[in-house]
């Protein structure tokens, strides 16, 4: 996707008069979201004719495989709502007034002179076990949004603005507040080819002035969300100053208050108790919590898709023994599952073993130090975002049934129902733990009679 796209406004009865929201891509439904996120593939039918290097490259795609889970929808809708709440109060008049307030605070060079934004966006946190797929999911979702949108005209009137929907940074290991600010400025420079970072460093701006500067840029370029990955780094406290992590979190909250943007924190469950310990943090860090996979249908589904992409010459079927071996070493961590099979495939192909069994998985796990860890969240059979496709409808065939007295009668086998059949949907929703009413709405079968 290009860095800058021209604004393409959608009609909306709710936000039709707000160009910043109207310029966002239309929100997708569950099926379209799944299709936009999924990265599924299979081996070519003639892969055994490929060279050794080509088969290694094919097996390397295991790490690229991505099947969206239900939490992807939670993250997507939370982010979209974050954008809406960040932009809802930004009119031309409110932006002008806020820029005036920021200019006055800049003259005084103190953050205290700048009041919190009148409109505070809805913030949230995505916390999960390492390797559970949280960062991959958010990065895939962000690809659906342009990095910058150029506005020139809205509803027949001139409207010149460059809009940056989001800025993605990483929480610094040294927990430096300046480092956070510099990363934000660097990302803006990267998107717009500006030099705000050089300006900040050459003028040796203080943290207070940097916050004011970022608030100014958030208004000027209508930044909707600041997304901070690896937020667990705030817990790596310094022995000289053990409160530095708390200080950085307070700084991030202050930054969100001054700018009015949606603050999204992504990290491991190590920070969950810390966030829940203070009310103002708990309110801003609610959101999806992503556990590892339990040894259930979803674990089997993901493993089967990975297993089917191992390009060895003598593949074995996925057995219960192999499935158990993978779970022992990975504990249901998708990232570790991909690494284990990826390394095992390279080993099998490179050393001409050309098959992968439980013994090879065991030695690979030991060689590459892949082992399960005690999870913070209870493992769960997370459901895929989209139900697996049903088999095509088959015509009914009459079948003779033997009765106890030895005579025969004519009967019908169990009916093969269409995927849109209410009984099929009910059965599927019961199996996968989905909401039947929501599924009926998704299938377009719900209506209101008069």
């Amino acid at each position: 996707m290009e860095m800058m796209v021209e604004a393409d406004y959608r009609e909306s009865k709710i936000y039709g008069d707000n160009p910043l929201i109207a310029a966002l891509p239309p929100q997708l439904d569950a099926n379209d979201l799944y299709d936009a996120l999924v990265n599924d593939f299979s081996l070519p039918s003639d892969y055994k004719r490929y060279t050794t290097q080509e088969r290694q490259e094919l097996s390397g795609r295991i790490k690229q495989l991505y099947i969206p889970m239900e939490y992807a929808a939670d993250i997507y809708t939370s982010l979209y709502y974050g954008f809406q709440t960040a932009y809802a109060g930004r009119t031309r008049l409110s932006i002008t007034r806020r820029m005036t307030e920021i200019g006055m605070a800049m003259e005084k060079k103190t953050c205290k002179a700048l009041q919190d934004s009148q409109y505070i966006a809805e913030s949230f946190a995505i916390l999960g076990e390492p390797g559970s797929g949280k960062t991959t999911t958010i990065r895939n979702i962000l690809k659906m949004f342009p990095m910058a949108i150029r506005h020139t005209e809205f509803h027949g009137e001139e409207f010149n603005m460059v809009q940056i929907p989001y800025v993605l940074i990483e929480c610094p290991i040294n927990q430096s507040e300046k480092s956070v600010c510099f990363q934000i400025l660097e990302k803006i420079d990267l998107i717009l080819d500006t030099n705000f970072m050089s300006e900040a460093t050459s003028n040796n701006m203080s943290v207070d002035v940097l916050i004011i500067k970022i608030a100014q840029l958030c208004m000027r370029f209508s930044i909707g969300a600041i997304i901070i990955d690896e937020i667990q780094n705030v817990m790596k406290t310094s022995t000289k100053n053990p409160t530095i992590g708390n200080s950085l979190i307070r700084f991030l909250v202050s930054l969100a208050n001054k700018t009015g943007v949606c603050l999204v924190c992504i990290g491991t469950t190590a920070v969950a108790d810390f966030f829940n310990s203070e009310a103002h943090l708990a309110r801003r860090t609610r959101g999806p919590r992503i556990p590892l996979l339990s040894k259930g249908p979803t674990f089997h589904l993901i493993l089967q898709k990975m297993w089917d992409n191992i390009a060895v010459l003598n593949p074995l079927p996925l057995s219960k023994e192999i499935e158990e071996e993978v779970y022992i070493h990975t504990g249901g961590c998708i990232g570790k599952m991909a690494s284990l099979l990826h390394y095992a495939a390279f080993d099998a192909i490179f050393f001409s073993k050309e098959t992968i069994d439980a013994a090879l998985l065991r030695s690979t796990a030991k060689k590459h130090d892949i082992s399960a860890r005690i999870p913070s969240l209870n493992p769960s059979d997370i459901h895929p975002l989209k139900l697996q496709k049903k088999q095509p409808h088959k015509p009914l065939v009459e079948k003779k049934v033997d009765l106890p007295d030895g005579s025969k009668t004519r009967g019908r086998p169990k009916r093969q129902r269409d995927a849109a059949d209410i009984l099929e949907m009910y059965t599927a929703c019961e199996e996968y733990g989905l909401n039947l009413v929501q599924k009926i709405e998704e299938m377009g079968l719900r209506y209101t009679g008069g």
Side-chain angles (χ1 to χ4, degrees):
M1 182 177 289
E2 298 179 3
M3 288 284 191
M4 182 90 67
V5 301
E6 298 296 326
D8 181 16
Y9 303 110
R10 63 181 176 85
E11 296 295 327
S12 172
K13 295 179 180 179
I14 309 300
Y15 295 113
D17 60 344
N18 188 315
L20 302 176
I21 297 178
L24 294 174
Q27 189 167 350
L28 304 178
D29 62 21
N31 287 332
D32 289 339
L33 178 63
Y34 179 92
D35 293 338
L37 293 176
V38 68
N39 189 22
D40 194 5
F41 34 74
S42 57
L43 291 176
S45 57
D46 62 342
Y47 81 89
K48 292 186 179 181
R49 299 178 183 176
Y50 286 27
T51 65
T52 297
Q53 180 177 346
E54 289 170 338
R55 288 190 295 110
Q56 285 181 328
E57 291 170 352
L58 280 176
S59 299
R61 298 191 307 173
I62 292 172
K63 288 195 169 186
Q64 302 168 13
L65 182 74
Y66 180 75
I67 305 299
M69 300 295 158
E70 283 185 341
Y71 59 73
D74 295 329
I75 296 172
Y76 174 73
T77 53
S78 296
L79 182 62
Y80 207 99
Y81 182 63
F83 286 146
Q84 290 175 336
T85 54
Y87 292 140
R90 294 195 198 180
T91 63
R92 296 184 188 185
L93 180 59
S94 68
I95 292 174
T96 302
R97 287 177 176 173
R98 187 60 174 171
M99 289 296 281
T100 301
E101 295 172 358
I102 292 171
M104 295 173 62
M106 187 67 78
E107 289 180 2
K108 297 179 180 179
K109 295 185 177 181
T110 173
C111 190
K112 293 181 180 179
L114 180 63
Q115 294 182 347
D116 288 348
S117 173
Q118 183 179 356
Y119 301 97
I120 304 296
E122 187 76 14
S123 297
F124 64 100
I126 307 165
L127 303 182
E129 303 291 348
S132 58
K134 53 191 180 299
T135 298
T136 301
T137 298
I138 189 68
R139 289 181 183 270
N140 286 342
I141 289 173
L142 290 176
K143 292 177 183 178
M144 295 187 285
F145 296 92
M147 299 189 74
I149 304 171
R150 181 187 290 109
H151 300 262
T152 54
E153 183 182 288
F154 183 66
H155 287 176
E157 297 183 9
E158 182 179 352
F159 181 68
N160 290 311
M161 175 176 282
V162 173
Q163 173 185 0
I164 299 177
Y166 68 89
V167 171
L168 173 63
I169 65 173
E170 286 194 4
C171 183
I173 296 178
N174 64 358
Q175 304 170 331
S176 166
E177 298 168 0
K178 273 195 172 184
S179 179
V180 172
C181 296
F182 288 157
Q183 283 192 66
I184 295 172
L185 296 177
E186 281 182 327
K187 285 300 175 73
I188 296 174
D189 287 343
L190 176 65
I191 296 170
L192 302 180
D193 193 24
T194 50
N195 59 351
F196 297 117
M197 175 65 174
S198 298
E199 177 189 340
T201 53
S202 61
N203 293 333
N204 195 24
M205 292 183 179
S206 65
V207 173
D208 267 18
V209 175
L210 283 170
I211 292 177
I212 300 170
K213 182 65 177 179
I214 291 173
Q216 183 185 59
L217 295 177
C218 285
M219 282 292 109
R220 179 179 172 184
F221 300 117
S222 290
I223 296 176
I226 296 176
I227 303 169
I228 306 176
D229 200 2
E230 306 296 344
I231 195 64
Q232 71 274 5
N233 286 342
V234 301
M235 301 300 293
K236 298 176 182 178
T237 55
S238 168
T239 54
K240 295 182 179 179
N241 186 3
T243 63
I244 191 170
N246 295 2
S247 176
L248 182 58
I249 285 293
R250 285 196 295 271
F251 162 77
L252 294 174
V253 172
S254 175
L255 184 64
N257 290 338
K258 301 298 182 185
T259 59
V261 303
C262 167
L263 182 66
V264 183
C265 296
I266 309 169
T268 67
T269 53
V271 293
D273 291 340
F274 175 61
F275 283 160
N276 292 332
S277 64
E278 299 186 37
H280 72 286
L281 291 180
R283 176 176 59 85
R284 287 187 170 276
T285 55
R286 298 189 184 101
R289 301 296 186 259
I290 306 173
L292 300 178
L293 295 175
S294 63
K295 195 165 52 177
T298 303
F299 171 76
H300 176 78
L301 169 69
I302 300 297
L303 180 57
Q304 184 70 66
K305 288 184 177 294
M306 292 180 179
W307 191 258
D308 290 343
N309 278 280
I310 298 175
V312 292
L313 298 180
N314 302 309
L316 296 175
L318 180 60
S319 63
K320 291 292 184 182
E321 180 189 9
I322 291 174
E323 192 167 331
E324 179 70 23
E325 193 71 34
V326 172
Y327 197 84
I328 287 173
H329 298 295
T330 67
C333 174
I334 296 176
K336 290 181 180 179
M337 291 164 60
S339 293
L340 177 60
L341 297 189
H342 171 259
Y343 290 133
F346 271 46
D347 194 325
I349 296 172
F350 187 83
F351 293 105
S352 301
K353 299 176 182 177
E354 296 298 348
T355 193
I356 296 178
D357 54 18
L360 179 58
L361 290 171
R362 197 175 305 121
S363 63
T364 301
K366 183 177 181 180
K367 184 190 303 183
H368 294 276
D369 194 25
I370 300 174
S371 60
R373 60 183 291 272
I374 300 176
S376 301
L377 302 174
N378 290 328
S380 173
D381 183 37
I382 307 169
H383 305 302
L385 180 57
K386 191 175 183 180
L387 292 176
Q388 298 302 298
K389 293 183 179 179
K390 301 295 180 182
Q391 295 297 321
H393 176 73
K394 296 181 181 179
L396 296 177
V397 179
E398 289 192 347
K399 180 182 178 182
K400 291 185 178 181
V401 180
D402 293 336
L403 296 178
D405 59 3
S407 61
K408 297 182 180 294
T409 184
R410 302 175 70 85
R412 291 185 175 184
K414 182 180 179 181
R415 180 181 176 185
Q416 298 293 320
R417 299 180 180 274
D418 187 82
D421 188 284
I422 185 66
L423 292 180
E424 279 293 300
M425 282 191 287
Y426 175 80
T427 302
C429 289
E430 284 290 300
E431 179 181 354
Y432 290 97
L434 303 177
N435 185 291
L436 179 61
V437 176
Q438 180 179 343
K439 182 55 61 178
I440 291 174
E441 289 180 347
E442 291 173 0
M443 299 289 287
L445 299 176
R446 185 182 181 188
Y447 67 92
T448 303

